[in-house]
């Protein structure tokens, strides 16, 4: 296969991989019990992921800030119910979840 043929395949591979990545992030959210309190488009115990994405929109450090919030937990940002810390979550996984949430949880 020529280099030109391989380059032509890159967009197709990226298009096919995107849904797998999104599904993997949804699976990560489920595995870490995020979906027990959050939904993509409606408030449950905590805010929807769409509300979170709106709150952080335009912030250049949004992924890092949200990842830190996920790991540390906290209260007061969204009301009186505290969010438990996800301290056992790796930094990389916290950033992956944060990027997924900020991207509309798609």
């Amino acid at each position: 296969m020529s280099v030109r043929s391989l380059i032509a395949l890159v967009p197709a591979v990226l298009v096919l991989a995107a849904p797998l990545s999104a599904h993997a992030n949804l699976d990560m959210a489920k595995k870490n019990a995020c979906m027990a309190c959050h939904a993509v488009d409606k408030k449950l115990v905590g805010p929807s992921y769409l509300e979170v994405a709106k709150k952080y929109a335009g912030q250049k450090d949004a992924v890092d800030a949200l990842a830190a919030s996920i790991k540390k937990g906290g209260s007061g940002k969204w009301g009186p119910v505290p969010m438990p810390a996800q301290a056992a979550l790796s930094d990389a996984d916290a950033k992956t979840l944060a990027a997924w949430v900020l991207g509309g949880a798609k």
Side-chain angles (χ1 to χ4, degrees), residues 3-85:
V3 171
R4 187 175 243 178
S5 297
L6 288 173
I7 292 172
L9 287 175
V10 170
V13 170
L14 292 175
V15 167
L16 293 173
L20 296 175
S21 175
H23 184 67
N25 295 332
L26 175 60
D27 287 345
M28 187 184 299
K30 288 178 180 177
K31 176 184 166 201
N32 289 287
C34 304
M35 303 304 288
C37 296
H38 299 279
V40 173
D41 59 355
K42 64 183 175 200
K43 179 178 177 24
L44 294 178
V45 175
S48 73
Y49 292 137
L50 295 178
E51 289 176 290
V52 174
K54 284 181 190 175
K55 183 172 186 157
Y56 284 87
Q59 293 183 27
K60 66 179 181 175
D61 65 339
V63 171
D64 290 334
L66 182 56
S69 183
I70 291 168
K71 287 197 62 148
K72 293 177 187 171
S75 63
K77 287 184 185 179
W78 298 96
V81 179
M83 184 175 96

